[in-house]
Amino acid sequence: MGRLGETDLADRLSPSGRHTLLVQVVFALLVTGLTVALRAVIDSISPAAGPFSLGFAAILVATLFGRWQAGVITGVLTLVYSWYFVLPAQNSFLLKNAEDTGRLILAAINYAAVLVIAELFRRAVRRATAERDREIAERDLFLEEFDHRVKNNFTLVAALLDMQRRRAKDAETAEALSSALTRVESIARAHRHLYRGAAVSRGEADMATYLEELCAALAEALFLRGAITLDCVCDHAAIPRDRAVSIGLIVNELVTNAAKHAFAGRETGRIEVRFEAAAPGWKLVVRDDGVGMPDIPKARGKDGGLGQKLIDGFVRQARGTAKTESGLDGTAVTVVLEA
């Protein structure tokens, strides 16, 4: 019901306010015309039944959509019409029955009451709408400021990690810092894509757009050009953004691991990321045609062990299960996600 009071034809059809009265008069005439037409249909079935009943609805509609001026015009016109054409004697302002005078006065009073109530309701809704719009504007401003601060924080953390990586003299330390830098940059990309713009209002992300942008950024960051390629094939699917972040981080870890370890001693290769609908939900596959995984697991505490723990954690956050298949023709990790 509140939506009715938000529609103001005078504002919509005359934003400048120069033709507000004209809009109200035309709208009042339109409402009155429809009321007269409906009155004619009723008179063909039951002549003179409820002579003033349609006026209440007409005044209500005219006031809600055209303000009190349109309601006054509609009320006067419908009252005069009912007096002249419906009350006996018809086609005359003379009242045949003495009680019709009281009915006419009572109808006028009730018309005025309906008009006042409708106008008060319309104004209350307009005030509530204005307050809501103000709060939304303040929220958007806060989110914009928050987004800017988060973006700056990500940039600062990435810069510090990169600085430490460049100063590290130990190769293992430098590699660990490089991996941490890549993960921070992946989370920053997720934030930029999923927590800004239209995605905020919906609370969901289109996985095709998100993963394609993520793969393009990974290809650039990992220098996957020419001989080693990264292909991304994704179905469009609306996924809650928190789950989408976890899925993106899974892709980041798997692609990074493949780029670093799958093509040892080779100059050519292909990594494929595929996201598609599959009962009961979706399926994510990251596949490479590299040398396969070694039979001996990596020792705990190494980067590989940390990477696997991160992948397992991200899979749980995404509400999925992971399966790894590896051989001489490469490695494929399949993550089945619940609906």
Side-chain angles (χ1 to χ4, degrees):
M1 187 64 178
R3 292 284 183 180
L4 296 177
E6 295 183 28
T7 304
D8 192 320
L9 294 178
D11 284 344
R12 294 197 175 187
L13 300 180
S14 179
S16 64
R18 297 174 58 185
H19 305 292
T20 299
L21 182 59
L22 176 61
V23 171
Q24 292 171 327
V25 170
V26 172
F27 183 61
L29 293 176
L30 177 62
V31 173
T32 302
L34 293 175
T35 303
V36 170
L38 184 58
R39 178 76 256 175
V41 173
I42 294 176
D43 286 342
S44 66
I45 301 173
S46 179
F52 303 106
S53 57
L54 295 180
F56 298 108
I59 293 172
L60 183 64
V61 171
T63 304
L64 288 176
F65 295 102
R67 305 180 188 175
W68 66 267
Q69 293 90 336
V72 169
I73 297 172
T74 301
V76 171
L77 292 178
T78 54
L79 187 68
V80 171
Y81 174 83
S82 298
W83 182 3
Y84 189 83
F85 292 102
V86 180
L87 289 178
Q90 295 179 351
N91 301 322
S92 172
F93 286 114
L94 296 176
L95 297 176
K96 186 176 181 180
N97 301 320
E99 61 270 17
D100 287 340
T101 302
R103 295 171 63 189
L104 185 63
I105 296 174
L106 184 60
I109 295 174
N110 289 333
Y111 279 9
V114 170
L115 188 148
V116 170
I117 294 173
E119 177 65 13
L120 291 175
F121 173 81
R122 187 191 68 82
R123 293 188 180 188
V125 171
R126 292 287 297 233
R127 286 194 298 270
T129 301
E131 179 66 18
R132 180 198 63 191
D133 293 342
R134 184 187 63 80
E135 292 177 355
I136 291 176
E138 290 180 354
R139 184 204 65 181
D140 291 343
L141 181 62
F142 170 78
L143 288 176
E144 184 178 353
E145 177 65 21
F146 177 78
D147 173 79
H148 182 69
R149 290 179 180 273
V150 171
K151 180 181 177 182
N152 288 344
N153 289 338
F154 276 128
T155 302
L156 177 61
V157 172
L160 291 174
L161 287 173
D162 185 53
M163 182 176 64
Q164 290 297 111
R165 179 180 63 86
R166 293 175 183 274
R167 292 183 177 181
K169 298 180 180 180
D170 182 67
E172 186 175 351
T173 301
E175 183 178 356
L177 290 171
S178 180
S179 298
L181 176 61
T182 303
R183 288 162 184 148
V184 169
E185 290 175 342
S186 177
I187 297 173
R189 280 192 295 270
H191 168 79
R192 288 194 299 269
H193 182 82
L194 301 176
Y195 289 83
R196 301 174 71 180
V200 175
S201 58
R202 295 192 305 268
E204 295 180 338
D206 178 68
M207 293 304 296
T209 303
Y210 171 46
L211 290 182
E212 287 170 3
E213 292 183 3
L214 175 61
C215 288
L218 286 173
E220 182 177 356
L222 299 171
F223 304 102
L224 296 177
R225 298 189 182 94
I228 297 178
T229 61
L230 174 58
D231 298 328
C232 184
V233 181
C234 300
D235 291 345
H236 290 278
I239 303 292
R241 62 190 183 199
D242 291 337
R243 293 186 69 187
V245 170
S246 298
I247 295 170
L249 293 173
I250 294 170
V251 171
N252 177 81
E253 290 295 324
L254 293 176
V255 171
T256 302
N257 289 344
K260 289 182 178 180
H261 307 296
F263 307 106
R266 292 176 46 179
E267 295 184 356
T268 61
R270 177 174 179 268
I271 304 173
E272 179 187 18
V273 175
R274 180 177 292 273
F275 183 87
E276 58 190 5
W282 303 275
K283 181 171 68 175
L284 171 69
V285 180
V286 179
R287 179 185 293 109
D288 66 69
D289 59 357
V291 297
M293 297 177 62
D295 295 333
I296 302 175
K298 295 185 178 180
R300 293 184 179 179
K302 300 294 184 181
D303 181 67
L306 175 61
Q308 186 59 51
K309 290 179 180 179
L310 290 173
I311 293 172
D312 293 340
F314 296 146
V315 168
R316 287 193 297 271
Q317 289 178 5
R319 302 209 311 271
T321 56
K323 177 182 179 182
T324 303
E325 298 175 329
S326 184
L328 297 178
D329 56 347
T331 301
V333 179
T334 302
V335 181
V336 178
L337 300 164
E338 301 176 2

